[in-house]
Amino acid sequence: MRHRFLSCTSHSSAVKTGQFSLSIIVLISLLTSLQSGCQSTTQPPSAVRDLLIDRIGWEAYPMTADSTQKGVEHRFAITNTSARDSYRAIQLCIDYYTQAGQRLGSDTTVVDTLVAPGTLIKLANQRVGRLRPGTDRTEIRVLRAETD
């Protein structure tokens, strides 16, 4: 294996041609892009950014004795991805969709549970709204929450 060493004159010519400065710029931009995924400690709290809703499921239940009207019972998990902010009074929007992806409507609800930084809470038996005929799936998103 042969090693090639640059002499001082070769190195200065590389600097003059811009190859050396281009390498430094690429290195700095790479380091900057790696750090951009980190959460800044100076950002204000944002429930929409920090609260993750997943493990979503639902089923219909009879609202009346004759079962003519049905409601929707939801289950889901809320994960607080923030390293420092707790949230409570979490306002959620639940959207209902057909199998073809057509939106049928939505309901809103408030989950009045404290979710501490870095924790996950599981919620079941959340009865919200009436079942829309043709509902195949639901999506839940955070609208806002109070910081604690």
Side-chain angles (χ1 to χ4, degrees):
M1 175 190 264
R2 291 180 83 182
H3 296 287
R4 185 174 170 189
F5 296 96
L6 293 175
S7 68
C8 290
T9 55
S10 296
H11 179 66
S12 62
S13 65
V15 171
K16 287 178 185 174
T17 61
Q19 294 171 357
F20 183 73
S21 59
L22 180 62
S23 298
I24 295 295
I25 291 170
V26 169
L27 181 61
I28 290 171
S29 65
L30 178 64
L31 290 173
T32 304
S33 68
L34 290 174
Q35 291 178 349
S36 65
C38 298
Q39 189 179 40
S40 170
T41 56
T42 59
Q43 288 182 335
S46 170
V48 173
R49 178 195 65 222
D50 294 340
L51 298 177
L52 171 71
I53 309 293
D54 65 352
R55 304 175 192 190
I56 299 170
W58 64 275
E59 60 186 51
Y61 72 93
M63 292 179 71
T64 58
D66 62 359
S67 298
T68 56
Q69 294 183 6
K70 293 187 177 186
V72 185
E73 188 172 85
H74 301 274
R75 61 188 174 279
F76 52 91
I78 301 175
T79 304
N80 185 350
T81 63
S82 174
R84 67 176 201 279
D85 298 309
S86 296
Y87 294 98
R88 61 181 164 76
I90 304 163
Q91 185 177 7
L92 303 173
C93 179
I94 304 169
D95 294 309
Y96 303 91
Y97 295 91
T98 65
Q99 187 174 9
Q102 178 184 2
R103 188 171 168 273
L104 298 171
S106 63
D107 290 313
T108 58
T109 188
V110 174
V111 175
D112 199 18
T113 301
L114 181 68
V115 185
T119 62
L120 173 138
I121 61 164
K122 294 179 184 178
L123 299 162
N125 307 322
Q126 300 294 307
R127 293 187 170 186
V128 181
R130 295 176 189 255
L131 181 66
R132 278 105 171 139
T135 297
D136 181 66
R137 66 181 173 90
T138 62
E139 291 182 2
I140 304 174
R141 56 193 161 95
V142 175
L143 297 176
R144 68 181 59 98
E146 296 176 13
T147 55
D148 201 44

